[in-house]
Amino acid sequence: MRILVVEDDPDLSRQLKTSLSDAGYAVDHAADGEEGHYLGENEPYDAVVLDLGLPKMDGVSVLEQWRRGGITTPVLILTARGAWSEKVSGFDAGADDYLTKPFHTEELLARLRALLRRAAGHSAPALSCGALRLDPRAARASVNGEPLRLTSLEYRLLHYLMMHQGRVISRTELVEHLYDQDFDRDSNTIEVFVGRLRKKIGQDRIETVRGLGYRLAPLHGEATEA
Ligand code: CA
């Protein structure tokens, strides 16, 4: 899953980037409203953290323009303490959730997990697919209760596949949702990561759909997601 952070405070930006990466997300950052607007319009993020007080273009205008342009990405806005009217204009512009500064990183992460799972149509906090289980709260995955040792990219790949299990996902889509914009994006490397992940979770769990991409599904005889 890939997150965009639009925040002009350098310290807070750095802190957000670190905590989001540690939690297993690919993270892009924009330090002003114009850059943030551009990125949100051109890259398919899974969620956005948007500060409202921004240089060049304020957060509410950024959000209004995204929504007018048909961008449905879940957006969590960051508002200043006591500015209740900011929350109102933020929600009216199309925000899905908000946090008032200062906030605890844990709360931001929990709110993002909720936004991401609602956007993908899940209600349970942990994901399962047959004997596979992934818990975004701990950034951990297991098969039959046995913990998997995954690199951060393997975890991100499995998270995305589990969020969209049963659907065929193209290599391009995976590249767009697993890597941040600074990453050297080569869709051939996806094949390598899928190969490594298969070795860890079982060869048959990720099906290759020729010419189209990959699909994660429970094995025959395994229960589907409750
Ligand atoms: Ca600000």
Side-chain angles (χ1 to χ4, degrees):
M1 312 299 269
R2 186 173 167 206
I3 314 275
L4 172 64
V5 174
V6 191
E7 169 60 63
D8 57 323
D9 181 307
D11 290 336
L12 181 57
S13 300
R14 214 170 304 125
Q15 186 198 322
L16 287 175
K17 269 195 95 157
T18 308
S19 349
L20 287 166
S21 311
D22 289 350
Y25 303 107
V27 190
D28 286 343
H29 170 249
D32 66 66
E34 273 175 16
E35 190 193 1
H37 174 258
Y38 175 82
L39 283 175
E41 199 171 53
N42 290 283
E43 299 287 338
Y45 294 102
D46 294 293
V48 179
V49 177
L50 176 67
D51 183 30
L52 291 188
L54 289 168
K56 294 190 185 174
M57 186 176 180
D58 68 274
V60 169
S61 307
V62 170
L63 186 50
E64 272 170 356
Q65 292 202 18
W66 282 341
R67 295 306 190 223
R68 218 176 292 139
I71 288 161
T72 58
T73 314
V75 173
L76 184 150
I77 53 171
L78 303 177
T79 64
R81 191 185 209 116
W84 65 269
S85 59
E86 274 197 342
K87 288 172 208 156
V88 175
S89 31
F91 277 113
D92 282 345
D96 299 277
D97 200 359
Y98 78 93
L99 262 177
T100 301
K101 292 178 180 179
F103 53 84
H104 289 279
T105 311
E106 280 310 314
E107 184 177 357
L108 176 90
L109 293 173
R111 287 181 180 275
L112 276 178
R113 286 192 294 270
L115 281 183
L116 290 168
R117 68 175 183 252
R118 281 202 296 268
H122 298 281
S123 50
L127 297 161
S128 56
C129 176
L132 258 180
R133 199 179 146 83
L134 183 142
D135 193 339
R137 292 167 294 188
R140 294 258 157 79
S142 61
V143 180
N144 285 316
E146 286 289 316
L148 291 166
R149 293 172 67 103
L150 303 175
T151 64
S152 59
L153 261 169
E154 289 163 1
Y155 172 82
R156 237 179 260 168
L157 171 62
L158 183 62
H159 191 189
Y160 195 80
L161 290 172
M162 286 191 75
M163 276 291 218
H164 302 281
Q165 57 186 277
R167 179 159 80 72
V168 179
I169 297 165
S170 70
R171 281 194 190 86
T172 314
E173 183 176 343
L174 287 174
V175 168
E176 286 174 341
H177 290 269
L178 301 188
Y179 300 149
D180 57 59
Q181 57 171 348
D182 300 330
F183 201 90
D184 177 21
R185 295 181 189 195
D186 176 356
S187 65
N188 292 322
T189 59
I190 289 288
E191 238 165 304
V192 176
F193 287 122
V194 170
R196 286 187 198 152
L197 185 58
R198 276 184 173 136
K199 281 199 191 116
K200 295 183 179 179
I201 67 169
Q203 293 290 339
D204 303 335
R205 293 188 184 276
I206 304 172
E207 180 194 351
T208 301
V209 184
R210 210 163 276 283
L212 294 174
Y214 302 102
R215 176 167 47 207
L216 180 83
L219 299 177
H220 278 294
E222 278 186 343
T224 46
E225 192 185 8

